[in-house]
Amino acid sequence: MQTPTVTIHALVVDDDPLIVGVVCAFLKKRGYVAESAPDGEAALAKLTGGSFNLVITDRDMPRMDGLALCRAIRDLPGDSYIYSIMLTSSGQEETLVAAMEAGVDDFVAKPVRLGELGARLRAAERVLGLEAGLAARNRSLSDAYAQLSRELELARSLQLGQLPEPASFGTVRFDWVFEASGFVGGDTFDYFQLDENTLCFYLADVSGHGVAAAMMAFNAQHQLLAATQQTAGQASRRGPDLATPAVAAVTEYNRRFLQMKETSLYLTRP
């Protein structure tokens, strides 16, 4: 007998001990973990605290019948799917429809024929295998998203840490508010003192949003810082004319930018 690819923990629910014994023995032979309960109430108590993913239940039982049990199974909390097979002696359409509406996945006619039950179980194995694979992928995606969120939050903190501190210049105080459209953004700004009477500000915006734009903005801020320091030195020698060194700084930055490969981003000014 081929062992199923997913571990199956089955609960057989029937008030007939003979049926319970035969079905449990068949399930264990297939490599399942199998337990039993005599009625729906006892089964529901086990399901609430257990790790079952397959229920094979009779339809007609005392205290809680199979339909009520299947409805209760679908209301159980948790993300794991419980595949339900109902044993029924009735093949009437209204009976089958009622069972499907209660959450039953498949049926086996009574008296139970083990060959038919085996075929139904192969279908259950496929469904539970797909469900287990999907759950594993969802966990992996959730872990990846959590890691990405942590890294983006760190990137946001680093980006904010690169921006200049609020300060005063003479009697004027200047401050700023930076709010990215996502975790990080492509805007950057800074200021530098030209002389005792002049303070220069610059503001740049990288096209697009997100991590790529933020990295470009980080690169631009460092290159513009070097360029503005050079501009300040030239301006102090040239006097009040800032146009020529400013154009030279932008031209140099543009030359460096164009040397970058495989990027569709570009730097603008507001």
Side-chain angles (χ1 to χ4, degrees):
M1 188 71 64
Q2 185 178 1
T3 302
T5 57
V6 59
T7 300
I8 296 183
H9 192 177
L11 182 62
V12 180
V13 190
D14 201 308
D15 58 339
D16 187 336
L18 180 60
I19 292 179
V20 168
V22 171
V23 173
C24 282
F26 184 71
L27 297 181
K28 291 176 181 179
K29 188 177 180 181
R30 294 182 67 88
Y32 295 6
V33 178
E35 298 184 34
S36 64
D39 56 61
E41 284 191 6
L44 190 59
K46 284 193 171 187
L47 290 168
T48 302
S51 57
F52 298 93
N53 52 6
L54 173 65
V55 169
I56 300 175
T57 180
D58 190 18
R59 184 185 187 281
D60 299 316
M61 295 180 294
R63 297 207 297 172
M64 178 187 286
D65 66 14
L67 293 179
L69 173 60
C70 289
R71 283 192 290 267
I73 288 173
R74 297 305 171 222
D75 291 335
L76 288 175
D79 299 328
S80 297
Y81 190 74
I82 299 177
Y83 194 93
S84 300
I85 298 177
M86 179 165 285
L87 307 178
T88 178
S89 56
S90 174
Q92 294 182 354
E93 182 179 352
E94 60 270 19
T95 301
L96 301 181
V97 170
M100 294 178 68
E101 290 178 346
V104 176
D105 295 291
D106 209 341
F107 305 90
V108 172
K110 296 178 70 174
V112 177
R113 295 186 294 272
L114 296 182
E116 179 186 356
L117 178 58
R120 305 298 186 184
L121 292 174
R122 283 191 291 274
E125 290 170 9
R126 288 193 294 270
V127 171
L128 292 174
L130 290 172
E131 194 274 337
L134 180 60
R137 287 191 290 273
N138 285 341
R139 287 193 297 272
S140 178
L141 287 174
S142 179
D143 292 342
Y145 178 77
Q147 177 65 26
L148 180 60
S149 295
R150 289 192 294 270
E151 292 180 358
L152 286 173
E153 189 59 45
L154 177 59
R156 173 182 172 82
S157 298
L158 291 174
Q159 184 177 36
L160 292 175
Q162 292 296 316
L163 298 176
E165 293 289 338
S168 298
F169 187 69
T171 60
V172 177
R173 176 169 176 79
F174 48 90
D175 208 332
W176 51 266
V177 174
F178 182 89
E179 187 65 38
S181 60
F183 280 91
V184 291
D187 300 300
T188 187
F189 63 92
D190 207 342
Y191 62 87
F192 61 96
Q193 185 172 343
L194 192 60
D195 55 40
E196 60 181 9
N197 297 314
T198 309
L199 194 67
C200 296
F201 292 85
Y202 62 86
L203 176 65
D205 179 25
V206 176
S207 62
H209 304 283
V211 175
M215 293 178 66
M216 180 67 73
F218 179 81
N219 175 276
Q221 187 176 34
H222 281 269
Q223 292 199 34
L224 286 170
L225 178 61
T228 54
Q229 290 173 345
Q230 180 181 1
T231 300
Q234 294 177 3
S236 62
R237 294 192 297 271
R238 293 172 180 265
D241 178 20
L242 297 178
T244 300
V247 169
V250 173
T251 301
E252 174 60 18
Y253 175 79
N254 188 57
R255 184 188 68 80
R256 295 184 182 185
F257 177 81
L258 292 176
Q259 290 178 344
M260 298 179 62
K261 296 180 180 179
E262 297 182 2
T263 178
S264 60
L265 301 177
Y266 52 90
L267 194 67
T268 67
R269 65 174 181 83

